[in-house]
Amino acid sequence: ITFGIILVGLAYYALAELDQARHCKRITGSYALYLSDIWNIIELFIVVSTCAVVGLFAWLFTHRVATEWTYFRDTYPDLGNYVYIQQRLFDLFAVNIFLLVFKLFKYFPLVPALNMLLKMLKLATVSLTNFLLMLAVLFIGFVVMANMIFGSNLVQFTRLQLGFVYLYLYLLGTFDFQALRTTDPTWGPVFFSVYMVLFVMIMLNVFLAILNDAYVLVNDEEQFGMMFKKKKAGTGKTRKWRDYLEVFKRVATAIRRKPKID
């Protein structure tokens, strides 16, 4: 029953996307308008990947290996490939769940407060990109530096991949300062101090400052827009009463000027 409900929901979702794509093609003559929207591409990926997941799950549970291994036998089939495919299916299914949750951003503009956050992120995109690029360059430099200084004595920095992981954990507050100091009494404290001051005290505050500036600009724009709408609405009401007053004055003038009949 559950599998049938999933199939019905998937079929409805796929038909809805197909109808939307056909509607765009009927209006514009091509699918370019439909594919120009990132949300449509995400939805297409969800449909295709979900169809693949459902199809492979159905194949796994109906395959000969999957149906025979439950019986008591003296020999057992090799389930290594079966388990590997199933694990990859769970990975793909997890990506689908993430994209379905991510699709909620599509409806954020319907809520004014959430729409303001989206505008803030769009406004800060360029500054954040430049900041993250500079942050990545500095981070790679510290990883290579830690590998050269402490790599021969500390397991955490024997490889660059491990260095990335452990220096990231340093930013989260998980570090072993005593191990650095024991390995190199001179460079250990210097490396740790410079790294923490540069990343935690400076770069983190720069990141927050970029978001704060974008939020202030978007908030001021929203407040100005609301004030303009209220002023426009008030002006419209004032003009309406002025029009009524003008009509009344004209009627009164016409009555006074009306000739008397003897």
Side-chain angles (χ1 to χ4, degrees):
I1 296 176
T2 304
F3 193 73
I5 295 175
I6 294 175
L7 288 179
V8 171
L10 179 61
Y12 175 78
Y13 191 37
L15 290 175
E17 288 300 317
L18 183 61
D19 181 69
Q20 185 178 358
R22 287 179 176 177
H23 181 69
C24 291
K25 186 177 186 300
R26 186 165 55 249
I27 296 177
T28 62
S30 65
Y31 295 104
L33 179 63
Y34 177 79
L35 296 176
S36 62
D37 190 354
I38 186 64
W39 298 113
N40 293 332
I41 297 176
I42 292 175
E43 289 172 350
L44 283 177
F45 178 82
I46 292 173
V47 170
V48 173
S49 59
T50 305
C51 290
V53 169
V54 172
L56 287 175
F57 263 118
W59 177 80
L60 286 176
F61 284 102
T62 57
H63 194 258
R64 178 178 57 83
V65 176
T67 56
E68 289 183 357
W69 75 278
T70 55
Y71 295 98
F72 292 99
R73 294 176 179 271
D74 295 334
T75 59
Y76 298 94
D78 184 13
L79 299 178
N81 294 331
Y82 175 82
V83 174
Y84 176 80
I85 295 175
Q86 188 174 13
Q87 185 59 48
R88 298 291 78 78
L89 286 177
F90 278 116
D91 296 340
L92 186 58
F93 193 70
V95 173
N96 283 351
I97 296 298
F98 172 77
L99 290 177
L100 287 173
V101 176
F102 184 75
K103 266 189 61 179
L104 295 176
F105 283 93
K106 180 180 179 179
Y107 307 101
F108 276 16
L110 300 177
V111 182
L114 298 179
N115 187 33
M116 188 172 67
L117 294 178
L118 287 180
K119 289 182 178 179
M120 178 195 72
L121 294 177
K122 290 180 181 179
L123 185 62
T125 300
V126 177
S127 298
L128 285 178
T129 302
N130 296 330
F131 170 78
L132 292 177
L133 180 62
M134 181 179 62
L135 186 69
V137 172
L138 290 175
F139 194 78
I140 293 173
F142 274 96
V143 169
V144 175
M145 183 179 178
N147 177 262
M148 298 296 294
I149 297 176
F150 311 109
S152 59
N153 296 313
L154 290 180
V155 181
Q156 297 92 325
F157 301 107
T158 53
R159 292 184 299 172
L160 294 179
Q161 297 88 335
L162 291 176
F164 277 102
V165 174
Y166 279 95
L167 285 184
Y168 177 73
L169 292 177
Y170 277 24
L171 297 178
L172 301 180
T174 304
F175 51 83
D176 188 359
F177 174 74
Q178 190 61 35
L180 295 177
R181 186 176 182 180
T182 302
T183 302
D184 195 323
T186 302
W187 281 105
V190 172
F191 175 86
F192 180 80
S193 301
V194 173
Y195 178 79
M196 297 302 288
V197 169
L198 182 61
F199 279 85
V200 176
M201 298 184 181
I202 298 178
M203 303 304 287
L204 179 60
N205 285 283
V206 171
F207 175 75
L208 296 177
I210 292 173
L211 294 180
N212 182 68
D213 291 342
Y215 179 81
V216 169
L217 291 176
V218 172
N219 187 46
D220 291 343
E221 182 181 355
E222 291 290 331
Q223 296 294 332
F224 179 78
M226 293 177 61
M227 292 175 59
F228 180 76
K229 289 180 180 180
K230 291 181 179 179
K231 185 177 180 180
K232 187 176 181 181
T235 305
K237 293 179 180 179
T238 304
R239 288 180 178 177
K240 187 175 181 181
W241 285 107
R242 287 179 179 175
D243 293 339
Y244 288 152
L245 183 60
E246 187 68 24
V247 171
F248 178 76
K249 288 181 178 179
R250 290 181 181 180
V251 171
T253 304
I255 292 175
R256 286 197 301 268
R257 290 181 180 178
K258 185 176 181 181
K260 295 182 181 181
I261 301 177
D262 298 334

